[in-house]
């Protein structure tokens, strides 16, 4: 007869069981991707159908679809938050690389601006409520609630590696991502239509006035048959158009964070502490720099703002003033792009002397950053190559054509070398990964300074770290003033380069995002391709170029911290 021994109270409790490995991860991902593709195609058909085809698609149909998508996405987000709160074991790991503080901070900033835009849009449509559908007022209100819910969701859950309801979580994340992309596309189309109306009102060329009339039916900004005559209505209308760039960036930022969460569903992390993440250290933008990069970047930023204001004032005036505005705009862009190209090249040269090992670990966030940088740059590549062909094969050989050609060539070079610098920086290890020459552990003993002439016959000792300033009071203070290693100058140069490129990308984002369109004011491409084709090229490719600038800013901020 066997008897069971009672458990030893001193024995340690059993270790927690690791999360089970998913049987077929690709099957769940395939299901969610198919759902997202079908929903996105439906949204794109309704949004773009009225803008580019003569079909009976009204803006109320688009608003109804987007409102329904927003409501469904909010329902799923609330389900996710309640489910993870009731089952903490459903998130056994948290990805330390996902959702960095600067990305979440940018999401909050753009979210606040989107809320202000929704207030302006609600006020605009409420100005003529009698002749408008109620869905036009319900949509911005629903979007405002969605922005608040989604921003909180991404702030607290961006690092989650979920291990419960895997297929449902993947489908929910992909549907929310698709909702953000649909909102982004609606904003881009609305802004492009607004630019077409603004251009057609200031130019009387019949070749593009017809296109503007075709686009007018799809514009949700002109208010249909209602007229915006009051001053308050016009303030609301202009206000939310100027806030569209922030709404566009918010949707793209949220989409990237949702994609990383989707990749992390069911992911097993060996080196992560369950339920905890490493808190990022505070970032001081001007710490450990030579101040050359920040100062030069701020100078370019201020000059760029002045050039942008001058361009916006003069470009809609007489022909001579428009020519002068374009020359000023292209001249500044050429100088800025040239400096950015040289600085990016210098950063790549500095990396040739960097001894830090390359980080080859799997990192979905870094993989997505690289893919977005390379993919978004294609939009500006396309515009630049179309401009090069138009200038080289076209008839005008004046100063403006030469500036346009130089601008297009430098735009290609700057995107290429900046991508090389950023991608190489993201794959570098932290500064602690750099090997250092460690001195011998045993110090030299037996040195006698009685005979100074005989010092050259003694064995060489490891060099003593040089102290700066007066003698310290204790060993801790002495350790704080030891001169930094020789490799420190490389890190300071890389920080200067990162800050300069960061500030330069911000001003190059502001100009096109807030209405600078030299592509239409300069008639070289318009005369060569025709307004309809050139407008389609710019309106499709330019949003990717604008997104590239803001995504480069977030990547350069990460490069600065890693340097």
């Amino acid at each position: 007869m066997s008897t069971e021994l009672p458990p030893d109270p001193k024995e340690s409790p059993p270790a927690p069981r690791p999360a089970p490995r998913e049987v077929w991860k690709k099957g769940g991902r395939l299901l969610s991707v198919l759902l997202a593709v079908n929903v996105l195609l439906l949204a794109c058909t309704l949004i773009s159908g009225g803008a580019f085809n003569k079909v009976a698609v009204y803006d109320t149909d688009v608003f109804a679809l987007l409102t329904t998508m927003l409501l469904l996405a909010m329902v799923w987000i609330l389900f996710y938050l309640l489910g993870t709160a009731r089952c903490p074991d459903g998130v056994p790991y948290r990805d330390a690389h996902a959702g960095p503080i600067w990305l979440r901070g940018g999401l909050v900033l753009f979210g606040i601006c989107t809320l202000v835009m929704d207030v302006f849009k609600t006020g605009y449509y409420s100005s003529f409520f009698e002749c408008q559908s109620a869905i036009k007022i319900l949509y911005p209100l629903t979007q405002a609630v969605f922005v608040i819910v989604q921003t909180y969701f991404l702030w607290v859950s961006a690092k989650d590696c979920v291990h419960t309801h895997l297929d449902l979580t993947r489908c929910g994340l992909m549907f929310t991502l698709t909702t953000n992309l649909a909102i982004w596309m609606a904003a881009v189309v609305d802004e492009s239509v607004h630019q077409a109306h603004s251009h057609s009102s200031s130019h009387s060329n019949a070749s593009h006035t017809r296109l503007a009339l075709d686009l007018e039916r799809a514009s949700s900004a002109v208010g249909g048959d209602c007229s915006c005559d009051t001053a308050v209505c016009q303030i609301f209308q202009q206000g939310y158009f100027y806030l569209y760039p922030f709404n566009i960036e918010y949707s793209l930022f949220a989409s990237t964070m949702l994609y990383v969460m989707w990749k992390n569903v069911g992911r097993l992390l060996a080196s992560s502490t369950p339920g905890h993440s490493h808190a990022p250290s505070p970032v001081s933008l001007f710490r450990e720099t030579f101040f050359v990069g920040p100062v030069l970047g701020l100078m370019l930023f201020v000059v760029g703002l002045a050039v942008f204001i001058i361009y916006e004032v003069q470009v809609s005036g007489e022909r001579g003033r428009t020519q002068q505005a374009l020359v000023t705009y292209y001249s500044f862009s050429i100088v800025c792009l040239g400096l950015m190209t040289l600085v990016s090249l210098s950063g790549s040269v500095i990396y040739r002397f960097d001894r830090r090992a390359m980080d080859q670990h799997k990192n979905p966030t870094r993989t997505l950053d690289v893919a977005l940088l390379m993919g978004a740059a294609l939009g500006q590549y396309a515009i630049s190559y179309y401009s090069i062909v138009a200038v080289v094969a076209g008839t005008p050989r004046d100063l403006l054509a030469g500036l346009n050609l130089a601008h297009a060539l430098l735009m290609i070079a700057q995107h290429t070398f900046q991508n090389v610098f950023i991608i190489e920086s993201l794959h570098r290890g932290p500064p602690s990964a750099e090997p250092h020459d460690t001195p011998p552990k045993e110090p030299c003993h037996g040195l006698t300074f009685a005979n100074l002439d005989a010092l050259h016959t003694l064995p060489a000792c490891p060099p003593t770290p040089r102290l700066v300033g007066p003698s310290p009071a204790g060993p801790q203070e002495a350790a704080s003033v030891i001169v930094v290693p020789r490799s420190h100058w490389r890190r300071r140069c890389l920080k200067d380069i990162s800050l300069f490129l960061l500030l330069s990308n911000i001003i190059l984002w502001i100009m096109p995002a807030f209405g600078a369109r030299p592509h239409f004011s300069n008639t070289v491409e318009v005369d060569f391709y025709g307004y309809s084709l050139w407008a389609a090229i710019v309106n499709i490719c330019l949003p990717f170029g604008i997104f590239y600038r803001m995504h480069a800013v977030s990547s350069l901020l990460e490069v600065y911290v890693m340097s």
Side-chain angles (χ1 to χ4, degrees), residues 104-118 143-144 146-148 150-151 246-247 249-251 253:
R104 288 181 290 164
L107 184 76
V108 172
L109 174 62
F110 292 134
I112 293 173
C113 296
T114 302
L115 292 177
V116 178
M117 185 204 71
D118 290 328
Q143 186 183 17
F146 171 77
V147 168
I148 296 174
Q150 180 178 249
T151 303
F246 298 103
N247 181 29
E249 296 302 329
Y250 174 83
S251 300
F253 269 49

Side-chain angles (χ1 to χ4, degrees), residues 27-186:
R29 288 182 175 179
L30 179 63
L31 176 64
S32 59
V33 169
L34 290 175
L35 172 66
V37 168
N38 283 276
V39 175
L40 186 61
L41 288 177
L42 174 62
C44 292
T45 303
L46 286 178
I47 292 171
S48 61
F52 300 104
N53 298 286
K54 297 180 179 180
V55 294
V57 176
Y58 301 98
D59 52 359
T60 53
D61 302 329
V62 177
F63 285 143
L65 175 66
L66 294 178
T67 303
T68 304
M69 294 177 67
L70 290 172
L71 292 174
L72 291 176
M74 279 191 290
V75 169
W76 178 84
I77 290 175
L78 294 176
F79 168 79
Y80 177 91
L81 293 174
L82 292 176
T84 54
R86 296 179 59 183
C87 183
D89 295 337
V91 186
Y93 306 102
R94 287 175 66 84
D95 185 2
H97 299 285
I101 186 63
W102 53 86
L103 187 61
R104 288 181 290 164
L107 184 76
V108 172
L109 174 62
F110 292 134
I112 293 173
C113 296
T114 302
L115 292 177
V116 178
M117 185 204 71
D118 290 328
V119 172
F120 276 90
K121 188 177 289 189
T122 304
Y124 168 69
Y125 286 122
S126 300
S127 301
F128 34 82
F129 176 74
E130 296 79 6
C131 58
Q132 287 286 356
S133 174
I135 192 66
K136 292 188 176 182
I137 300 178
L138 181 62
Y139 169 68
L141 294 176
T142 308
Q143 186 183 17
V145 179
F146 171 77
V147 168
I148 296 174
V149 173
Q150 180 178 249
T151 303
Y152 173 77
F153 162 68
L154 292 176
W155 183 272
V156 301
S157 306
K159 299 178 180 292
D160 289 357
C161 297
V162 187
H163 283 263
T164 58
H165 306 294
L166 298 181
D167 293 340
L168 180 61
T169 302
R170 288 194 182 100
C171 291
L173 287 171
M174 266 297 166
F175 182 81
T176 310
L177 188 152
T178 304
T179 302
N180 282 277
L181 291 180
I183 295 173
W184 167 76
M185 185 175 182

Side-chain angles (χ1 to χ4, degrees), residues 199-218:
H199 187 75
S200 63
S201 62
S202 58
H203 297 76
S204 58
N205 192 350
S207 62
H208 58 75
T209 303
R210 182 180 177 183
L211 174 67
L213 292 176
D214 291 338
L215 293 173
E216 185 175 0
R217 196 169 45 83

